[in-house]
């Protein structure tokens, strides 16, 4: 007998299935989810505000802390924004090294996600397998940059470290390691019957929903949206790679429906794509300088004479990262705004989580590869305890109003 009675189910903000604090309130009818509310705001760190107290160079290393997994992507978008304002031309060798490190980050991020996804459905053997083979790329990053995460590799106008012949040998060995393992790994992730049973037809985000909710990265591509910043707005060495294209489930002969399996398929295929991009960059790595040659003091003195606004867009493993800066004759940007991928993909949770079973909640939430700390922003709590609902149109109008106010204040 069908019941019309629904019950609330609160999960979070702290829960074993979540890697970061976030709260979900589900409306449950039997074992079925009929509605979901998402509550961010438990890990806000005010990094955008802190950045206004650092100089242009210090901000690079602060922004690495926005996300430990995307610790190259965020400072990369910031450097692109500053270079946009200042009109700085990055040397070719630096652009290729940036691309190599960015793809190494994508490789380890996607392997990390596959382990998390396997753990969420109870397949801990696969979790151990993927995290074990991920160690190889982390070791490579450590030799190349000195760190497994927070690489401190970037500077405005280039990179801080070159790829030595010994580094190159390590990268080639790492690529051979993953090439040998890729077929077996992809066979497990894409063909295992248990994995398919738990992911096919689960957490569907249609193409129309993905487009309307502004989904990005593998979440968008899993729904059939062919968008990828590396192709649409190429930077670094990406525009010199002739075969580069957005990955979708169509690359394995499957028409995308936007379920968890399709999002997993995109990430598995992007592991192979990252290996090929690194190979291309190593084979075509130009000789020459790795930065503009300006030291930190000279660069800061140059930038603090500038006025203007700039934007940097970069395809992080989770999707588009966007950094916006305003410069106004000071040692730091007077305004900096960070838009992380989860900020876009979080909206897609609502349709994905509707009409699924309770047991599928963890894998559907994990399927967008969320980074909650990246997306957290300041939350207003009214002292009288009341709440206010703001429509999309009102929210959009407020956003434009704030942008115009900041621009007017900072660019007098």
């Amino acid at each position: 007998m069908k019941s019309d009675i629904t019950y609330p189910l609160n999960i979070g903000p702290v829960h074993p299935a979540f890697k970061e604090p976030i709260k979900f309130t589900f409306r449950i009818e039997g074992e079925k989810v009929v509605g979901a509310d998402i509550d961010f705001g438990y890990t806000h760190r005010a990094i955008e505000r802190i950045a206004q107290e650092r100089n242009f160079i210090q901000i690079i290393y602060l922004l690495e802390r926005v996300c430990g997994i995307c610790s190259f992507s965020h400072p990369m978008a910031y450097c692109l924004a500053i270079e946009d304002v200042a009109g700085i031309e990055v040397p070719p060798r630096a652009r290729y090294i940036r691309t190599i490190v960015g793809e190494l980050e994508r490789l380890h991020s996607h392997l990390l996600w596959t382990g998390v996804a396997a753990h969420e459905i109870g397949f801990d053997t696969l979790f151990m397998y993927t995290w074990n083979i991920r160690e190889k790329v982390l070791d490579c990053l450590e030799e190349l940059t000195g760190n497994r995460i927070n690489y401190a590799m970037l500077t405005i106008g280039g990179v801080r470290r070159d790829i030595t012949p010994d580094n190159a040998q390590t990268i080639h060995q790492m690529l051979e390691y993953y090439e040998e393992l890729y077929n077996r790994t992809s066979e497990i992730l894409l063909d295992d019957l248990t994995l398919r049973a738990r992911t096919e037809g689960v957490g569907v985000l249609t193409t129309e929903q993905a487009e309307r909710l502004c989904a990005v990265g593998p979440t968008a591509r899993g729904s059939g949206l062919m968008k990828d910043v590396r192709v649409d707005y190429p930077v670094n060495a990406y525009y010199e790679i002739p075969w580069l294209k957005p990955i979708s489930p169509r690359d394995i002969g499957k028409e995308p429906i936007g379920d968890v399996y399709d999002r997993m398929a995109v990430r598995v295929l992007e592991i192979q794509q990252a290996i090929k991009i690194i190979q291309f960059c190593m084979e075509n790595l130009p000789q020459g300088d790795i930065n503009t040659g300006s030291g930190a003091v000279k660069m800061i003195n140059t930038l603090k004479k500038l006025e203007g606004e700039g934007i940097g867009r970069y395809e992080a493993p989770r999707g588009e990262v966007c950094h916006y800066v305003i410069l106004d004759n000071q040692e730091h940007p007077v305004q900096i705004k960070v838009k992380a991928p989860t900020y876009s993909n979080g909206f897609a949770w609502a349709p994905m989580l509707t009409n699924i079973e309770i047991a599928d909640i963890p894998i559907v939430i994990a399927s967008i590869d969320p980074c909650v700390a990246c997306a957290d922003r300041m939350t207003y709590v009214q002292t009288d305890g009341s709440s206010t609902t703001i429509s999309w149109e009102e929210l959009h109008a407020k956003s434009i109003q704030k942008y115009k106010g900041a621009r007017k204040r900072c660019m007098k």
Side-chain angles (χ1 to χ4, degrees):
M1 179 182 295
K2 186 178 183 303
S3 171
D4 293 330
I5 300 175
T6 62
Y7 297 90
L9 172 64
N10 294 317
I11 300 181
V14 177
H15 189 276
F18 301 158
K19 305 299 174 281
E20 297 172 272
I22 184 171
K23 182 181 176 184
F24 289 84
T25 302
F26 297 99
R27 292 186 295 284
I28 304 298
E29 189 178 293
E31 286 290 316
K32 188 176 176 183
V33 178
V34 295
D37 291 324
I38 302 115
D39 188 9
F40 283 92
Y42 297 92
T43 54
H44 179 56
R45 294 164 295 165
I47 285 181
E48 291 171 344
R49 178 67 186 86
I50 296 170
Q52 295 177 27
E53 305 293 330
R54 304 286 195 275
N55 67 43
F56 288 104
I57 302 299
Q58 292 170 331
I59 290 173
I60 299 171
Y61 313 111
L62 172 67
L63 292 175
E64 290 189 337
R65 274 72 182 173
V66 171
C67 176
I69 304 304
C70 297
S71 58
F72 179 84
S73 302
H74 281 283
M76 184 69 258
Y78 165 76
C79 288
L80 290 169
I82 296 294
E83 288 158 8
D84 180 30
V85 182
I88 294 172
E89 190 72 27
V90 178
R93 187 173 178 85
R95 291 192 287 104
Y96 273 69
I97 294 174
R98 284 178 169 187
T99 306
I100 291 168
V101 178
E103 293 305 315
L104 288 172
E105 180 172 88
R106 193 177 319 279
L107 187 55
H108 91 70
S109 176
H110 284 354
L111 286 170
L112 181 143
W113 179 85
T114 56
V116 170
H119 176 67
E120 298 293 17
I121 60 174
F123 197 167
D124 279 351
T125 305
L126 180 58
F127 161 59
M128 297 292 183
Y129 172 77
T130 54
W131 279 36
N132 180 46
I133 64 174
R134 175 174 171 257
E135 286 298 302
K136 193 74 172 178
V137 63
L138 291 176
D139 289 344
C140 181
L141 279 164
E142 184 175 14
E143 180 176 324
L144 191 60
T145 71
N147 294 302
R148 289 160 64 90
I149 59 171
N150 297 340
Y151 319 110
M153 190 69 173
L154 289 166
T155 191
I156 297 168
V159 294
R160 297 178 63 230
R161 299 182 182 87
D162 202 352
I163 292 180
T164 66
D166 287 343
N167 296 149
Q169 186 177 2
T170 301
I171 293 172
H172 286 303
Q173 289 172 350
M174 180 214 66
L175 293 173
E176 291 173 6
Y177 174 79
Y178 285 115
E179 280 185 318
E180 290 176 5
L181 287 176
Y182 180 77
N183 287 340
R184 175 59 178 152
T185 305
S186 64
E187 181 184 0
I188 297 170
L189 291 165
L190 298 180
D191 297 337
D192 181 87
L193 294 179
T194 304
L195 267 176
R196 296 190 74 139
R198 288 298 312 274
T199 57
E200 286 184 329
V202 175
V204 172
L205 180 73
T206 65
T207 306
E208 294 73 22
Q209 289 169 335
E211 187 168 18
R212 179 168 55 83
L213 296 170
C214 303
V216 296
T219 301
R221 294 191 283 276
S223 293
L225 282 184
M226 303 304 283
K227 55 193 291 189
D228 187 325
V229 175
R230 294 174 297 173
V231 177
D232 301 331
Y233 305 95
V235 295
N236 297 335
Y238 290 117
Y239 63 84
E240 296 178 18
I241 304 175
W243 43 262
L244 188 62
K245 68 180 186 65
I247 293 291
S248 86
R250 296 186 185 97
D251 292 294
I252 53 171
K254 180 181 182 300
E255 191 59 28
I257 63 169
D259 57 6
V260 174
Y261 180 85
D262 285 346
R263 292 189 279 281
M264 180 166 65
V266 169
R267 292 189 177 92
V268 172
L269 293 170
E270 286 186 355
I271 289 173
Q272 187 180 41
Q273 187 186 53
I275 293 169
K276 290 182 177 178
I277 291 173
I278 297 168
Q279 284 174 332
F280 175 89
C281 291
M282 291 300 296
E283 290 168 2
N284 297 278
L285 185 63
Q287 296 297 321
D289 297 329
I290 60 169
N291 53 53
T292 57
S294 303
V297 174
K298 186 177 178 182
M299 180 61 74
I300 293 168
N301 286 334
T302 301
L303 294 174
K304 74 179 186 181
K305 297 175 183 173
L306 300 178
E307 296 179 2
E309 55 186 341
I311 192 164
R313 307 174 72 172
Y314 182 75
E315 185 72 18
R318 294 177 168 99
E320 181 191 62
V321 164
C322 186
H323 284 225
Y324 167 73
V325 298
I326 297 178
L327 275 58
D328 187 27
N329 300 314
Q330 297 188 36
E331 286 192 358
H332 55 81
V334 292
Q335 184 81 26
I336 178 167
K337 196 68 183 172
V338 177
K339 202 281 290 178
T342 306
Y343 208 57
S344 302
N345 290 333
F347 293 103
W349 266 328
M352 285 183 196
L353 289 165
T354 303
N355 295 321
I356 64 169
E357 294 185 2
I358 294 175
D360 292 326
I361 289 174
I363 184 61
V364 173
I365 291 174
S367 69
I368 71 163
D369 195 7
C371 182
V372 177
C374 290
D376 262 351
R377 294 295 183 273
M378 188 171 69
T379 302
Y380 264 110
V381 179
Q382 300 188 57
T383 53
D384 61 0
S386 62
S387 60
T388 304
T389 302
I390 299 176
S391 68
W392 173 262
E393 291 74 19
E394 291 171 322
L395 189 64
H396 188 235
K398 281 180 177 291
S399 177
I400 293 174
Q401 184 182 11
K402 181 177 179 181
Y403 167 75
K404 287 183 175 177
R407 196 165 185 268
K408 185 177 180 181
R409 185 178 67 253
C410 299
M411 302 185 69
K412 292 178 180 176

